[in-house]
Amino acid sequence: MFGLEKKDSLLLLIVAILTMCAPFILNPFPTDSGLAQFNAGYPDLMQRFVIFGIFAIGFNILFGLTGYLSFGHAAFLGVGSYSAVWMFKLLSMNIIPAIVLSVIIAGLFALVIGYVSLRRTGIYFSILTLAFAQMSFALAYSVLTPITNGETGLQLTLSDPRVLGVSATEDGSIPVTNLFGAEMRSAMDVAMGPWTFTFSVGYYVCAVAMLLAFYLSIRIFRSPFGMMLRAIKSNQTRMNYTGLNPRPYTLAAFVISGMYAGLAGGLMAAMDPLAGAERMQWTASGEVVLMTILGGAGTLIGPVLGAGLIKYFENIFSKINDNVLHGWFAFMPDGIEDFMVTLVHPFVGKGWHLTLGIMFMLVVIFLPGGLVEGGQRIGRMIRGRKARDAKSTATKPAE
């Protein structure tokens, strides 16, 4: 299917089904139940799942295949967002031109940074990318304020000279982003018994973009180009001895990875037409590294799983406060209830990073291959148990 092997086609099909059915899958608890706070099926969060999934997929093409660890990919995310917002301000509120410009500008920016940074390898490459990202953040925050609007961020205004659109709607408000007339913020609520599911135009646009990005990553992984990238990760010195120059391949991987980040930045601006310098901070670059390692660097589905898990913790666990904890432990005697709340409090709410850090540490120690390796171990364990059961029930002919 689509030029893929059977195994890859099945993986793509599973990802497509999970993505398209996300409003159902991410709302397992009834709307009025006490556990509804753990539901993640609302449009804003689902959009962040797939957008950061795209970001992590692109980063995995560089880090997972070549082993080059970049701490500056947030710069491409921010450049993509700024490019998209400028397209909304100057041309049209249609998201297609904005996303195309985001990918192109991020790719050109990655070409310049990659050309310089890839002159070094290892930790020196990582430091160079971090330096470029921080310089980009400083430029966006304080130097290039006519272009980026500094710390306030680049926003749409009623005075924008939109060539292929109107500057204001009939009621005097700012137009909203759309895809050939379908507004990104349009949503439909469907009630099924005690459950309410929300279907958003913006989410499904992002979901389709993620599926296309995922399909392209599969083709890259299985291509001769992908094999060359793996060879670079395995032994770059041996490649040099054979007469092959690895630098064009690593530069191409860096640019492709940057274009993925630009796509993610453009989609973020398409869902919420605002671009700020905070998207280019080093913490955003570190976040995508965590996503990739947590899910499984060098695997196809791992970065998507890591992105979903981290964004879930960020948006769900961070909302758990002391009132929620008291509700959980209300069945206990007062003294024990207070003790349990005090015990759990540092790991939720504002302390959700502590829980994420512990989880990341455990994954690195016990599952170096990330969540994908954990799933593979469980699968092998189940298959081994079935094989032993079949062997024990097999009858031997009497001699």
Side-chain angles (χ1 to χ4, degrees), residues 189-206:
D189 292 334
V190 177
M192 295 182 180
W195 285 271
T196 300
F197 304 103
T198 303
F199 299 89
S200 166
V201 173
Y203 166 71
Y204 279 102
V205 169
C206 295

Side-chain angles (χ1 to χ4, degrees), residues 96 197 203 225 235 293 346 379 382:
I96 296 298
F197 304 103
Y203 166 71
F225 173 68
N235 196 322
I293 296 176
I382 294 174

Side-chain angles (χ1 to χ4, degrees), residues 58-242:
F59 181 80
N60 189 48
I61 292 175
L62 177 67
F63 176 56
L65 289 182
T66 69
Y68 278 74
L69 177 58
S70 168
F71 283 119
H73 261 53
F76 311 128
L77 185 76
V79 166
S81 294
Y82 281 118
S83 301
V85 175
W86 270 112
M87 187 62 80
F88 293 141
K89 292 171 73 69
L90 300 178
L91 183 65
S92 167
M93 295 302 290
N94 193 316
I95 66 171
I96 296 298
I99 290 175
V100 171
L101 182 67
S102 299
V103 173
I104 293 174
I105 298 298
L108 294 175
F109 194 47
L111 179 63
V112 173
I113 292 180
Y115 183 79
V116 177
S117 301
L118 288 168
R119 294 175 179 272
R120 295 292 179 265
T121 60
I123 188 63
Y124 305 105
F125 166 80
S126 301
I127 295 299
L128 278 173
T129 56
L130 177 61
F132 275 115
Q134 285 303 100
M135 284 190 291
S136 301
F137 168 74
L139 289 171
Y141 193 81
S142 59
V143 179
L144 300 178
T145 50
I147 299 175
T148 63
N149 203 28
E151 61 180 338
T152 306
L154 190 63
Q155 307 176 45
L156 301 182
T157 64
L158 292 172
S159 60
D160 291 334
R162 206 162 287 116
V163 176
L164 299 180
V166 295
S167 297
T169 60
E170 294 180 356
D171 60 357
S173 60
I174 297 175
V176 298
T177 55
N178 64 82
L179 178 62
F180 302 112
E183 295 183 357
M184 293 297 100
R185 66 183 183 185
S186 297
M188 178 181 65
D189 292 334
V190 177
M192 295 182 180
W195 285 271
T196 300
F197 304 103
T198 303
F199 299 89
S200 166
V201 173
Y203 166 71
Y204 279 102
V205 169
C206 295
V208 171
M210 194 208 75
L211 290 175
L212 293 175
F214 187 71
Y215 169 75
L216 180 60
S217 74
I218 295 176
R219 298 303 300 263
I220 291 174
F221 267 64
R222 305 305 184 213
S223 67
F225 173 68
M227 293 181 65
M228 290 295 294
L229 297 181
R230 287 192 181 89
I232 292 171
K233 182 179 181 180
S234 176
N235 196 322
Q236 187 169 336
T237 304
R238 186 173 295 175
M239 283 191 65
N240 290 326
Y241 287 157
T242 60

